[in-house]
Amino acid sequence: MSAATTRSRTPRTPAPDRLCAEAVELARAAAEEAAYPGVVGEHVSVVAEGDRVVTHFFESKEPGYRGWRWAVTVTRASRAKNVTLDETVLLPGDDALLAPEWVPWSERLRPGDMGPGDLLPTDADDLRLEPGWSGEDVPPPNSVVSTEMAELVEAEDADVTDRVVVPERGSITSVAEELGMRRARVLSRYGLHGAADRWDESFGAKTAMAQAAPASCVSCGFLVAIGGSLGQAFGICANEFSPADGRLVSLSYGCGGHSEAAVMPTPPRPAPPVLDSMATDEFPLRPVPDTGSVPPADLPSADLGHS
């Protein structure tokens, strides 16, 4: 490839139009009209946007917009000498302070962010859940994975609270519901492992409290057992003096409030005071002149009658 061919394919940067580049005062007046008084600073640069199209940049002194610039684009028609205004806008510069990139709420959400009245929908393909037994081949109408529920959610006036289906009394479905088995989805193995890792991080064997504990929770009388597969590794603490009271703790966790850690020692009783009543100590009521602690001139000259 020749050098001439290479130069022909290189995009050409147009030179700024002379009349448009000289229209600095016109651009400044447009920027001052769009901005507050006194916030348009010095002329920074001029950039050619195209044939007879030039953008003038002015420094912005507006508080909160450090590094931003007022950009005023001017142009003129072919063979015309009058420069006209195209647009005025405030643009960020290279060192401008910008807001962080927008992140969807599903990626911004963190544990503990939910408050009273907040609703957190789960995806139909959530890895933490897997299909459970509902007594039917399809999810119930009130399930988040059902087609009927999806149609209701799309409607603006959807009222999902009245769509709960009550099974007939005496049926297998009603018995399963009493046992807590009639759920459209249950925790998957991935969801179980994720929950166990989170709980073990807060109240597990690697915490500083467990490392200094005299024994683990597996032998503590304050431990309340739970069912399911998680009951083999976790329980609920019921010791009101423990930092994990009411929390799900690992069986390898422990604290100083273990029920069998030690017997409460008896507080030491101080020895009775010893009084020596067989001897007396003499304390003079008046200074003795020959002790040297009081000059003779300062001694009272007469008895004041308080003996």
Side-chain angles (χ1 to χ4, degrees):
M1 182 179 296
S2 63
T5 306
T6 305
R7 287 195 298 270
S8 63
R9 294 184 179 181
T10 303
R12 182 178 63 88
T13 302
D17 181 75
R18 182 180 61 83
L19 295 179
C20 292
E22 293 176 354
V24 177
E25 297 303 325
L26 174 63
R28 177 181 295 277
E32 292 177 349
E33 182 180 357
Y36 289 101
V39 298
V40 179
E42 299 295 332
H43 184 266
V44 178
S45 61
V46 57
V47 177
E49 305 288 352
D51 294 337
R52 298 179 301 279
V53 180
V54 169
T55 299
H56 293 270
F57 291 95
F58 298 89
E59 179 186 4
S60 175
K61 297 182 179 180
E62 189 167 358
Y65 287 86
R66 178 177 57 84
W68 289 62
R69 302 174 300 175
W70 285 101
V72 181
T73 304
V74 296
T75 184
R76 69 181 181 90
S78 177
R79 297 182 181 180
K81 295 183 179 180
N82 295 331
V83 178
T84 58
L85 179 66
D86 193 353
E87 64 176 352
T88 303
V89 65
L90 184 63
L91 297 178
D94 296 336
D95 57 344
L97 182 62
L98 301 177
E101 185 179 356
W102 182 82
V103 180
W105 69 268
S106 57
E107 300 179 14
R108 298 196 308 266
L109 191 65
R110 293 294 180 268
D113 289 348
M114 291 186 61
D118 295 339
L119 297 178
L120 179 60
T122 55
D123 297 333
D125 55 350
D126 196 322
L127 296 178
R128 299 171 300 173
L129 301 172
E130 63 183 10
W133 186 83
S134 61
E136 302 174 357
D137 295 334
V138 295
N142 60 316
S143 173
V144 295
V145 296
S146 65
T147 305
E148 183 179 354
M149 179 60 64
E151 296 176 355
L152 288 173
V153 171
E154 294 178 358
E156 294 182 356
D157 56 346
D159 187 6
V160 298
T161 57
D162 298 334
R163 305 299 300 178
V164 179
V165 178
V166 180
E168 297 181 1
R169 185 175 180 82
S171 62
I172 298 179
T173 303
S174 64
V175 175
E177 184 169 329
E178 292 181 4
L179 297 176
M181 299 173 56
R182 189 175 183 267
R183 291 179 291 172
R185 292 189 292 176
V186 295
L187 275 175
S188 62
R189 183 175 295 274
Y190 174 80
L192 289 173
H193 281 282
D197 292 340
R198 292 194 308 271
W199 299 339
D200 189 74
E201 183 178 355
S202 301
F203 298 97
K206 297 182 179 180
T207 59
M209 181 67 72
Q211 295 291 335
S216 59
C217 294
V218 67
S219 59
C220 182
F222 294 107
L223 183 73
V224 179
I226 62 174
S229 58
L230 290 176
Q232 302 176 9
F234 295 93
I236 301 176
C237 178
N239 187 354
E240 60 178 327
F241 300 107
S242 172
D245 180 35
R247 304 293 187 90
L248 204 64
V249 297
S250 172
L251 298 183
S252 57
Y253 180 74
C255 67
H258 195 281
S259 62
E260 311 302 327
V263 180
M264 183 67 69
T266 304
R269 180 175 300 177
V274 178
L275 300 178
D276 186 3
S277 58
M278 303 302 295
T280 59
D281 296 329
E282 182 179 357
F283 295 96
L285 297 179
R286 296 181 177 85
V288 181
D290 57 356
T291 58
S293 60
V294 179
D298 296 339
L299 293 177
S301 58
D303 191 1
L304 299 179
H306 298 289
S307 58

